[in-house]
Amino acid sequence: MKIAFDAKRFFHNTSGLGNYSRDLVRILSEYEPDNEYLLLNKNKSERGKEILERSNVHFIETSKGNLSRQLKMGKDAQKQGADIFHGLSGELPLKWDPKPIKKVVTIHDLIFVRYPQYYSFFDRKIHFWKFKKAADTADKIIAISEQTKKDIIQYLKVPETKIEVIYQGCHHAFKEQQSPELMKAVKEKFKLPERFVLNVGTIEDRKNLLNVVKAINGTEIPLVVVGRKTGYYKKIERFLKRNKMEKQVLFLEGVSMDELACLYKLADIFVYPSFFEGFGIPVIEALFSKTVVVTSNTSCLPEAGGKDSVYVNPENDLDIRAKLKFLWENESERKRREEKGFEFVQKFNDESIAKELMNFYQKII
């Protein structure tokens, strides 16, 4: 089978959609090696270089010109004799030749519909049009969680039979045991406290870091935050200054994937009280790292966290505080939940996801 991918995010996104794209191609090429995997884009980058070195993965430079992704990429895939075209980020090309090809799109979330306040009017309209068009064009849709599937049915008016839920995995670094030397080097490089709570994700309204900071105010629990700062960071900075907490919260940027994997393993607790997620990859990164998770009881986060993660009302900083303090002070409870969480997260391992994807592709062929 020859499967073509829209590889724009594969080559050009550092997190989220980029990680999903690279992981999907990586695990398919490894566990389903008899197929050919074509990465279509105008250009390539250093990202995913090691995946492109595999004999069954090929870069295909798409036709030049304005809007070539929308108008020419689909036809380019057909010229290559692809059996399936898979749009990995909620979009599909608009133009196709009559030659048969099956079309698949992955939709990660419809947050722009659920939480319009986080998006400009123009972005909301463009996103909605693209997603609706892709959902209508596709032979089948992959939703990355049951929550996303419900949203696609509700907001894009797609029949349930057209959608299949296939969870995503996470980068292999979180499943490996980093060397004691690297763990020590990371500790020293970032001047980490002996014990700490970790938060990972873009520092923006929806991720709700302010309520975590409020939750640890008045405690001696150190917090380490990894993520790109947005305008929302100013709110947090003001709160930290007003409450003299600058030394209690450490912000890290420019962290490599291996360093991040060490941070997860070094943390006592991972906290992620996001208001809404399409899936919540940081939750499974933590579970694979054998670190107990405190996350929201909303959207798809219980799907990612399983029954042994600890759930909070993201609106309520006192609830977050109580749960963090309970785990911080109870090592045996942390260990019990870490072990159970690690058992649960195996359902998101590479081999299982590769098998599900291949069954899905074979069914539509």
Side-chain angles (χ1 to χ4, degrees):
M1 202 186 300
K2 202 180 266 194
I3 303 159
F5 299 98
D6 175 351
K8 180 183 177 183
R9 310 292 182 184
F10 180 102
F11 289 117
H12 298 297
N13 277 49
T14 52
S15 58
L17 298 174
N19 287 337
Y20 172 78
S21 303
R22 287 183 289 274
D23 278 337
L24 185 142
V25 177
R26 175 181 63 78
I27 65 178
L28 282 172
S29 64
E30 187 173 332
Y31 292 99
E32 300 291 341
D34 297 338
N35 306 296
E36 276 190 83
Y37 303 101
L38 313 179
L39 300 177
L40 278 75
N41 198 43
K42 284 184 186 175
N43 50 41
K44 52 185 173 177
S45 71
E46 286 300 295
R47 289 189 191 96
K49 189 173 72 170
E50 69 289 351
I51 300 168
L52 258 181
E53 287 166 0
R54 296 178 178 185
S55 60
N56 55 2
V57 180
H58 312 287
F59 169 68
I60 306 294
E61 187 178 348
T62 50
S63 302
K64 298 278 189 274
N66 293 335
L67 298 176
S68 70
R69 186 169 172 235
Q70 289 79 12
L71 304 179
K72 297 175 181 175
M73 187 183 277
K75 294 181 177 189
D76 288 338
Q78 289 172 297
K79 280 180 197 149
Q80 295 291 327
D83 301 294
I84 294 173
F85 183 95
H86 188 163
L88 296 167
S89 56
E91 296 176 58
L92 282 173
L94 303 174
K95 297 285 184 187
W96 303 88
D97 284 331
K99 191 177 179 183
I101 188 169
K102 293 293 184 182
K103 305 171 190 79
V104 173
V105 66
T106 297
I107 295 181
H108 295 260
D109 61 68
L110 294 173
I111 293 172
F112 60 90
V113 183
R114 278 183 159 274
Y115 291 89
Q117 67 269 32
Y118 298 139
Y119 297 82
S120 72
F121 174 82
F122 184 70
D123 280 349
R124 290 199 310 271
K125 293 293 174 197
I126 290 287
H127 284 337
F128 188 84
W129 184 83
K130 279 182 182 175
F131 280 45
K132 177 67 178 149
K133 183 78 178 157
D136 291 343
T137 303
D139 293 287
K140 277 279 191 179
I141 298 166
I142 292 175
I144 60 163
S145 65
E146 292 292 343
Q147 176 65 59
T148 296
K149 179 180 174 178
K150 284 179 200 157
D151 287 353
I152 294 167
I153 295 165
Q154 182 180 346
Y155 298 118
L156 301 183
K157 308 299 181 211
V158 172
E160 185 175 357
T161 51
K162 196 174 179 177
I163 310 164
E164 190 149 335
V165 175
I166 300 178
Y167 291 116
Q168 54 193 117
C170 67
H171 194 279
H172 53 86
F174 303 100
K175 300 164 193 172
E176 294 163 358
Q177 188 52 62
Q178 282 69 31
S179 70
E181 293 75 28
L182 181 60
M183 298 280 271
K184 185 169 181 282
V186 167
K187 231 175 168 176
E188 287 169 1
K189 176 180 175 178
F190 296 114
K191 299 182 173 60
L192 297 172
E194 200 50 47
R195 293 180 66 199
F196 61 91
V197 170
L198 179 67
N199 174 266
V200 175
T202 306
I203 301 167
E204 60 182 343
D205 267 302
R206 180 171 57 86
K207 303 284 187 184
N208 194 26
L209 180 60
L210 185 56
N211 271 348
V212 179
V213 172
K214 286 179 178 175
I216 62 162
N217 184 23
T219 74
E220 291 183 2
I221 300 173
L223 175 66
V224 174
V225 178
V226 181
R228 182 176 59 81
K229 293 170 181 169
T230 69
Y232 171 75
Y233 170 74
K234 295 282 177 214
K235 277 188 192 176
I236 292 157
E237 195 176 37
R238 283 196 297 272
F239 185 90
L240 293 175
K241 279 184 178 156
R242 202 163 56 238
N243 292 279
K244 300 184 171 48
M245 293 176 68
E246 295 100 318
K247 290 188 176 160
Q248 194 177 348
V249 183
L250 180 62
F251 292 92
L252 307 180
E253 289 180 273
V255 176
S256 74
M257 201 61 87
D258 278 323
E259 289 169 340
L260 184 60
C262 291
L263 289 169
Y264 272 107
K265 291 178 177 77
L266 289 164
D268 278 41
I269 302 165
F270 177 69
V271 63
Y272 197 71
S274 174
F275 288 121
F276 193 89
E277 293 293 323
F279 180 58
I281 285 186
V283 169
I284 65 168
E285 290 171 347
L287 294 176
F288 271 118
S289 305
K290 288 196 172 181
T291 298
V292 67
V293 170
V294 174
T295 190
S296 304
N297 57 11
T298 57
S299 69
C300 63
L301 289 160
E303 286 180 65
K307 67 183 178 61
D308 290 287
S309 290
V310 174
Y311 295 98
V312 294
N313 173 357
E315 308 272 359
N316 186 339
D317 59 282
L318 296 178
D319 187 22
I320 300 169
R321 178 203 292 256
K323 306 281 173 56
L324 284 177
K325 278 191 75 177
F326 170 72
L327 288 171
W328 185 258
E329 290 162 6
N330 286 275
E331 186 180 5
S332 60
E333 187 61 12
R334 286 200 310 275
K335 296 286 177 239
R336 185 186 74 77
R337 288 177 185 271
E338 283 163 11
E339 293 302 327
K340 292 285 189 187
F342 187 68
E343 281 173 35
F344 164 79
V345 82
Q346 299 312 310
K347 71 188 270 192
F348 304 117
N349 70 32
D350 292 352
E351 195 170 357
S352 304
I353 292 167
K355 199 168 285 176
E356 278 188 67
L357 281 163
M358 199 42 62
N359 288 342
F360 171 84
Y361 289 145
Q362 282 164 345
K363 267 192 281 183
I364 63 170
I365 287 291

